[in-house]
Amino acid sequence: MKTGIIGLPQVGKSSLFRMLTKVQLSEHAFANPREAHVGMAKVPDDRLDRLAALYNPKKLVHASVEYVDLGAIGQEALKETTYLGHLRQVDAVAHVLRAFEDPAIAHVGQIDPLRDIKNVEFDLMVSDLGQIEKRLERLEKDLKKMRSPELERENDLLLRSKAHLEAEKPLREMEINEEDKRRIRGFMFLSAKPMLFVLNVSESSELGKELENAVTKFNLTEIASRPNAAATAICGKVEAELSEMSDADAGEFLSSYGLQESGLVRLVRNTYTLLGLISFFTVGEDECRAWTIPVGTRAVEAAGAIHSDLEKHFIRAETIHWDQLLEAGSEANARAHGTLRLEGKDYLVKDGDVMHIRHSG
Ligand SMILES: Nc1nc2c(ncn2[C@@H]2O[C@H](COP(=O)(O)OP(=O)(O)OP(=O)(O)O)[C@@H](O)[C@H]2O)c(=O)[nH]1
Ligand SMILES: [Mg+2]
């Protein structure tokens, strides 16, 4: 699962990418806003940390999500094959928005994140529309030669998508069933990708409150409440300082700003949710680990996320919710209390389940 970081020039994309992934970018990389960079970010998870405290494992493995720093977006970039190629490949988008004041760093016009969103969304929709029109022309010719129910269905769907875009609505807001989703997956439409708006705000002594109120203050409440969209705020300046500190110092620094957690932590969690992902855990003295699966995954498929053999030879999954396990203090106690259950193949795994896969392999 990949999330692309997009945004207008000089809004803080590469800074954010570097803080999220701890990938060191060279001066050369910073000076080439057209280059894409790829890195993984750990998904912080307090539940896993608490389980680990119970087991004291040799190894602790958090879930991770991949981020791609795509470079500055604009009409020109969206005509470049490499840029487009990278953007098409991502599963979700984080759109970084300039909301910080800094006369030294240029920005087109006043600080106005909603205007910037509208402009970028417009460019994404125009790109999709171009693709749709090209395909529709082709389909028209093909349909004249030969009637085909599948082609007709595609044609109808594309006409519906076109009308939606012409009403200036991104495709992520269009109602679409699973079958049709599959039908147009190959187009990898840009405006169809789940979208996280990320306000990059100024430093302030009351940063905790600022961050909490930023979405309302910059008028993003409505746009963030639409289907497949969300919004969050960070302060790049403060995050940059935080990322250089030890955990203990960071904790103190955060509370001096009235913050409970770093903005990055919230951002990663938001991305995870937007992508429709949940975690289940495996625990033991050797390793405590979080595994990433989509909402609605069956137990047997979750076993497959660990290893394909576990899926093939799956018998049952010993399952308990993470907080029940903590409460019981051990698996043996949980078994005695009856909170440790045996689930079959079709059990729908819940976020925060701890599972032990029994298999015959
Ligand atoms: N004041 C302030 N400056 C920031 C913040 N975030 C980034 N900057 C500065 O803004 C400039 C651009 O940051 P980058 O992270 O390179 O921005 P970018 O969006 O990757 O830029 P391009 O790739 O060139 O489009 C740098 O000088 C950063 O130090 C912030 O939160 N506050
Ligand atoms: Mg950059």
Side-chain angles (χ1 to χ4, degrees), residues 13-14 30 33 69 71:
K13 299 180 294 297
S14 298
F30 261 97
D69 175 11

mmCIF file with all atom_site columns, all heavy atoms in Angstrom, residues 13-14 30 33 69 71, ligand 2:
data_model
loop_
_atom_site.group_PDB
_atom_site.id
_atom_site.type_symbol
_atom_site.label_atom_id
_atom_site.label_alt_id
_atom_site.label_comp_id
_atom_site.label_asym_id
_atom_site.label_entity_id
_atom_site.label_seq_id
_atom_site.pdbx_PDB_ins_code
_atom_site.Cartn_x
_atom_site.Cartn_y
_atom_site.Cartn_z
_atom_site.occupancy
_atom_site.B_iso_or_equiv
_atom_site.pdbx_formal_charge
_atom_site.auth_seq_id
_atom_site.auth_comp_id
_atom_site.auth_asym_id
_atom_site.auth_atom_id
_atom_site.pdbx_PDB_model_num
ATOM   1  N  N   . LYS A 1 13 ? 6.644  19.248 1.244  1.00 0.00 ? 13 LYS A N   1
ATOM   2  C  CA  . LYS A 1 13 ? 6.460  17.817 0.932  1.00 0.00 ? 13 LYS A CA  1
ATOM   3  C  C   . LYS A 1 13 ? 7.685  16.984 1.300  1.00 0.00 ? 13 LYS A C   1
ATOM   4  O  O   . LYS A 1 13 ? 7.583  15.977 1.996  1.00 0.00 ? 13 LYS A O   1
ATOM   5  C  CB  . LYS A 1 13 ? 6.173  17.629 -0.574 1.00 0.00 ? 13 LYS A CB  1
ATOM   6  C  CG  . LYS A 1 13 ? 4.928  18.321 -1.059 1.00 0.00 ? 13 LYS A CG  1
ATOM   7  C  CD  . LYS A 1 13 ? 4.705  18.086 -2.544 1.00 0.00 ? 13 LYS A CD  1
ATOM   8  C  CE  . LYS A 1 13 ? 5.781  18.737 -3.425 1.00 0.00 ? 13 LYS A CE  1
ATOM   9  N  NZ  . LYS A 1 13 ? 5.829  20.205 -3.327 1.00 0.00 ? 13 LYS A NZ  1
ATOM   10 N  N   . SER A 1 14 ? 8.850  17.427 0.806  1.00 0.00 ? 14 SER A N   1
ATOM   11 C  CA  . SER A 1 14 ? 10.054 16.632 1.046  1.00 0.00 ? 14 SER A CA  1
ATOM   12 C  C   . SER A 1 14 ? 10.426 16.631 2.527  1.00 0.00 ? 14 SER A C   1
ATOM   13 O  O   . SER A 1 14 ? 10.893 15.622 3.050  1.00 0.00 ? 14 SER A O   1
ATOM   14 C  CB  . SER A 1 14 ? 11.217 17.158 0.207  1.00 0.00 ? 14 SER A CB  1
ATOM   15 O  OG  . SER A 1 14 ? 10.896 17.048 -1.158 1.00 0.00 ? 14 SER A OG  1
ATOM   16 N  N   . PHE A 1 30 ? 16.816 17.250 -2.826 1.00 0.00 ? 30 PHE A N   1
ATOM   17 C  CA  . PHE A 1 30 ? 16.002 18.409 -2.459 1.00 0.00 ? 30 PHE A CA  1
ATOM   18 C  C   . PHE A 1 30 ? 15.953 19.409 -3.603 1.00 0.00 ? 30 PHE A C   1
ATOM   19 O  O   . PHE A 1 30 ? 14.967 20.089 -3.815 1.00 0.00 ? 30 PHE A O   1
ATOM   20 C  CB  . PHE A 1 30 ? 16.579 19.090 -1.209 1.00 0.00 ? 30 PHE A CB  1
ATOM   21 C  CG  . PHE A 1 30 ? 15.852 18.688 0.020  1.00 0.00 ? 30 PHE A CG  1
ATOM   22 C  CD1 . PHE A 1 30 ? 16.337 17.686 0.836  1.00 0.00 ? 30 PHE A CD1 1
ATOM   23 C  CD2 . PHE A 1 30 ? 14.658 19.299 0.356  1.00 0.00 ? 30 PHE A CD2 1
ATOM   24 C  CE1 . PHE A 1 30 ? 15.655 17.297 1.962  1.00 0.00 ? 30 PHE A CE1 1
ATOM   25 C  CE2 . PHE A 1 30 ? 13.964 18.926 1.485  1.00 0.00 ? 30 PHE A CE2 1
ATOM   26 C  CZ  . PHE A 1 30 ? 14.463 17.918 2.293  1.00 0.00 ? 30 PHE A CZ  1
ATOM   27 N  N   . PRO A 1 33 ? 13.017 18.900 -7.491 1.00 0.00 ? 33 PRO A N   1
ATOM   28 C  CA  . PRO A 1 33 ? 11.640 18.659 -7.058 1.00 0.00 ? 33 PRO A CA  1
ATOM   29 C  C   . PRO A 1 33 ? 10.888 17.697 -7.964 1.00 0.00 ? 33 PRO A C   1
ATOM   30 O  O   . PRO A 1 33 ? 9.798  17.268 -7.649 1.00 0.00 ? 33 PRO A O   1
ATOM   31 C  CB  . PRO A 1 33 ? 11.003 20.048 -7.075 1.00 0.00 ? 33 PRO A CB  1
ATOM   32 C  CG  . PRO A 1 33 ? 11.893 20.916 -7.859 1.00 0.00 ? 33 PRO A CG  1
ATOM   33 C  CD  . PRO A 1 33 ? 13.248 20.306 -7.850 1.00 0.00 ? 33 PRO A CD  1
ATOM   34 N  N   . ASP A 1 69 ? 7.417  10.562 -2.155 1.00 0.00 ? 69 ASP A N   1
ATOM   35 C  CA  . ASP A 1 69 ? 7.476  12.014 -2.325 1.00 0.00 ? 69 ASP A CA  1
ATOM   36 C  C   . ASP A 1 69 ? 7.505  12.273 -3.825 1.00 0.00 ? 69 ASP A C   1
ATOM   37 O  O   . ASP A 1 69 ? 8.488  11.990 -4.498 1.00 0.00 ? 69 ASP A O   1
ATOM   38 C  CB  . ASP A 1 69 ? 8.751  12.554 -1.653 1.00 0.00 ? 69 ASP A CB  1
ATOM   39 C  CG  . ASP A 1 69 ? 8.936  14.049 -1.890 1.00 0.00 ? 69 ASP A CG  1
ATOM   40 O  OD1 . ASP A 1 69 ? 7.988  14.704 -2.379 1.00 0.00 ? 69 ASP A OD1 1
ATOM   41 O  OD2 . ASP A 1 69 ? 10.030 14.558 -1.579 1.00 0.00 ? 69 ASP A OD2 1
ATOM   42 N  N   . GLY A 1 71 ? 7.108  15.093 -5.611 1.00 0.00 ? 71 GLY A N   1
ATOM   43 C  CA  . GLY A 1 71 ? 7.545  16.352 -6.212 1.00 0.00 ? 71 GLY A CA  1
ATOM   44 C  C   . GLY A 1 71 ? 6.369  17.250 -6.521 1.00 0.00 ? 71 GLY A C   1
ATOM   45 O  O   . GLY A 1 71 ? 5.210  16.836 -6.442 1.00 0.00 ? 71 GLY A O   1
HETATM 46 MG MG  . MG  B 2 .  ? 10.404 18.425 -2.636 1.00 0.00 ? 2  MG  B MG  1
#
